[in-house]
Amino acid sequence: MNTVHLSPDLRTASGELPEGDVPEIATRNACKLCSPLGAALVFKGIRGCLPFLHGSQGCATYIRRYLISHFREPVDIASSSFTEDDAIFGGARNFAAGVDNVIRQYQPELIGVATTCLSETIGDHMLGMIKTYQDKHAGDGPPLVHVSTPAYTGTHSDGYYATLLAVVRQFAQRTSLRLPHRVNVLPAIMSCEDLRHLRECCEAYGLSATMLPDYNSTLEGGSWDAYHWIPPGGTSLDEIGEMGAACATLEIGHTQAANSQSAAAWLQQTTGVQRLALGWPLGICLADHFFTALSIASGRTMPRRFAEERARLVDAYVDAHKYVAGKTAAVFGEPDLVVAVASFLSEIGIKPVICATGSKQKQWKELIREALASDIGEFTALSGADHAKIATAARELKPDLLIGSSKGYPLARELDIPLVRLGFPIHDRIGSQRLLTVGYRGTLELFDRVVNALLEVKQSTSTSGYSYL
């Protein structure tokens, strides 16, 4: 008996199809998350830092729920916990009380304050509130850093990059000193394993990396002998303070390359640190750019082990080209990841017929096309998209597979095609924090996953039950 799956993006909460047309302006199953989530992710990558959301408690709970489900680690996020009165008269009182509680309970080295839609809408003056608090306590206590992150102005990706800039501007010292073997690494929203591999690559070139943020330990630490109120690990404030003395900044993410207000741009403008703007190093082409940048920063040639990894990757492309050539895919998620995956797919012979992001990116299609390794002809580029729009395009173009977060599972189920889980969030699988997608090694891991997903479909739909493919 065939099972008919109703389109998940059109059903109401009760599971019924709505009457009449759904207005285009309405977002249905958003392909993005709130800006404060990106801020919280950066704060989790700073040593001794506790994220603090100025707004309602529900915002903190929602973000904690997403981070815990993806990283499978406990995540504490403080909140000023607005009540109805605070929403009318302002949240200054709750903010001060909340900071007092955080200092008393957690003893943080830094408090990262991000605003929410509610506090931004009522016009709470955060800088004034922070100054008032610090003046009242005569400068005692940890420093506070503030970033404006109303969700209605952007996505978690926007909040992430805004927070990077806010932290660097507040703590990086202006200096003419140069540390010849020190580089700054500003990654996109990546897995913990990605961050570890980026550091490993820098060390192989003789470079000491200040990575901001570095949540590889705080969001994927080992078991503890004793409870820590704040997980150990992360980039220290001293390291951030020295970012202005590095010999170069490796800034990862296509969307940041043309951004004159990025953290790396600020460092270059104010301290003269060379900015090397790079795409997400996924695929041979983009990984080559990354390793070339390491050679520029270090003055060294590529270590043999990476040359060998590159050779194995090329060999794998040759071995499996017959399984992927001519296939099509729909890719969705954070814009930097989508661009990188599209470039990678164009290398291996899969056409990314749909490239979608919930972020509103200017010249989105041109950004993707410039990153492609080969001319793939026409494709659908969706910016500011929700999953309903992605589903509509996918039903028409009928891709062979989906690549994106676990939010794509209902569509994959409806279309009966595989979903290669990648990006954030992944709620329905274990190990998302250990997915490697950078460098030649990470590309090979993703390549194997993509090829095997297609082989599994071929095998499961075969009437012969082939065991050799």
Side-chain angles (χ1 to χ4, degrees):
M1 178 179 176
N2 293 328
T3 301
V4 177
H5 300 297
L6 293 176
S7 171
D9 50 287
L10 290 178
R11 285 180 292 184
T12 65
S14 61
E16 299 173 347
L17 288 170
E19 295 182 1
D21 296 332
V22 178
E24 280 290 322
I25 196 170
T27 295
R28 291 167 286 163
N29 197 3
C31 185
K32 62 179 182 179
L33 299 164
C34 284
S35 303
L37 188 148
L41 195 56
V42 173
F43 292 142
K44 290 297 294 182
I46 300 175
R47 193 179 73 181
C49 180
L50 190 81
F52 186 109
L53 297 192
H54 185 54
S56 65
Q57 194 170 30
C59 294
T61 302
Y62 147 70
I63 290 173
R64 289 181 59 245
R65 188 264 184 200
Y66 266 73
L67 292 176
I68 291 170
S69 178
H70 180 86
F71 289 100
R72 311 284 174 170
E73 290 285 335
V75 176
D76 283 7
I77 296 178
S79 169
S80 48
S81 301
F82 274 32
T83 63
E84 289 82 353
D85 288 348
D86 302 308
I88 297 172
F89 300 110
R93 182 189 57 181
N94 277 29
F95 173 75
V99 172
D100 282 341
N101 288 336
V102 163
I103 293 174
R104 182 172 60 255
Q105 186 164 347
Y106 290 88
Q107 299 180 344
E109 297 177 37
L110 172 70
I111 299 176
V113 181
T115 49
T116 65
C117 298
L118 179 55
S119 58
E120 290 278 355
T121 300
I122 66 174
D124 263 357
H125 185 208
M126 285 309 306
L127 293 178
M129 290 163 56
I130 290 173
K131 185 176 187 307
T132 299
Y133 180 87
Q134 292 176 326
D135 289 346
K136 181 178 178 181
H137 293 79
D140 290 339
L144 288 82
V145 59
H146 159 250
V147 60
S148 175
T149 51
Y152 47 74
T153 63
T155 68
H156 61 300
S157 182
D158 299 312
Y160 177 90
Y161 289 120
T163 307
L164 278 183
L165 176 61
V167 171
V168 169
R169 291 181 65 171
Q170 180 159 333
F171 297 108
Q173 298 172 7
R174 305 183 185 209
T175 176
S176 58
L177 177 69
R178 283 290 168 268
L179 300 171
H181 301 295
R182 179 78 62 85
V183 292
N184 305 317
V185 179
L186 304 179
I189 298 178
M190 293 177 161
S191 72
C192 298
E193 190 66 27
D194 285 334
L195 301 185
R196 287 190 283 268
H197 190 51
L198 290 176
R199 185 179 295 282
E200 176 190 349
C201 292
C202 292
E203 290 173 351
Y205 278 79
L207 296 168
S208 173
T210 298
M211 187 173 296
L212 182 68
D214 185 1
Y215 45 79
N216 94 82
S217 294
T218 57
L219 290 175
E220 200 198 5
S223 59
W224 299 337
D225 294 329
Y227 183 74
H228 298 271
W229 284 99
I230 298 177
T235 311
S236 71
L237 288 180
D238 289 341
E239 290 174 307
I240 298 171
E242 293 179 348
M243 290 180 76
C247 64
T249 300
L250 277 61
E251 185 177 44
I252 297 175
H254 283 86
T255 60
Q256 298 304 291
N259 182 5
S260 61
Q261 302 297 315
S262 73
W266 185 89
L267 283 169
Q268 180 168 267
Q269 293 160 9
T270 57
T271 68
V273 177
Q274 183 184 16
R275 177 192 188 191
L276 299 172
L278 305 166
W280 188 304
L282 174 63
I284 291 177
C285 182
L286 294 176
D288 283 349
H289 293 168
F290 171 70
F291 285 106
T292 299
L294 289 178
S295 291
I296 292 172
S298 66
R300 296 186 182 185
T301 58
M302 177 183 286
R304 181 177 178 180
R305 60 170 152 160
F306 297 129
E308 291 175 347
E309 287 181 359
R310 190 182 192 281
R312 283 195 290 271
L313 178 59
V314 172
D315 185 60
Y317 278 12
V318 175
D319 290 344
H321 77 280
K322 59 185 178 182
Y323 303 121
V324 295
K327 298 294 184 181
T328 60
V331 188
F332 59 91
E334 294 97 18
D336 291 316
L337 178 61
V338 171
V339 174
V341 173
S343 176
F344 158 70
L345 293 176
S346 71
E347 279 186 354
I348 64 175
I350 295 179
K351 180 176 180 177
V353 291
I354 300 170
C355 299
T357 180
S359 294
K360 294 180 180 177
Q361 290 292 325
K362 295 179 180 177
Q363 299 182 322
W364 173 232
K365 194 166 190 175
E366 288 73 18
L367 187 66
I368 297 168
R369 195 180 291 283
E370 289 174 2
L372 296 177
S374 62
D375 183 7
I376 63 169
E378 273 305 308
F379 63 96
T380 299
L382 300 175
S383 171
D386 57 22
H387 279 284
K389 292 179 180 176
I390 297 171
T392 299
R395 290 181 197 114
E396 178 184 352
L397 296 172
K398 303 185 185 320
D400 293 302
L401 77 162
L402 300 179
I403 301 178
S405 72
S406 61
K407 295 294 185 182
Y409 174 69
L411 179 60
R413 181 181 169 93
E414 176 195 338
L415 300 180
D416 197 21
I417 59 176
L419 167 66
V420 176
R421 289 166 174 80
L422 196 64
F424 182 90
I426 297 177
H427 296 312
D428 59 354
R429 291 291 186 276
I430 290 291
S432 55
Q433 67 274 50
R434 291 182 289 278
L435 294 177
L436 182 62
T437 60
V438 297
Y440 306 123
R441 195 187 308 168
T443 303
L444 185 56
E445 287 192 15
L446 179 60
F447 180 72
D448 288 345
R449 292 176 63 208
V450 168
V451 175
N452 286 331
L454 293 170
L455 286 178
E456 188 170 343
V457 171
K458 185 175 182 179
Q459 193 171 37
S460 62
T461 57
S462 168
T463 57
S464 302
Y466 292 118
S467 57
Y468 287 88
L469 292 171

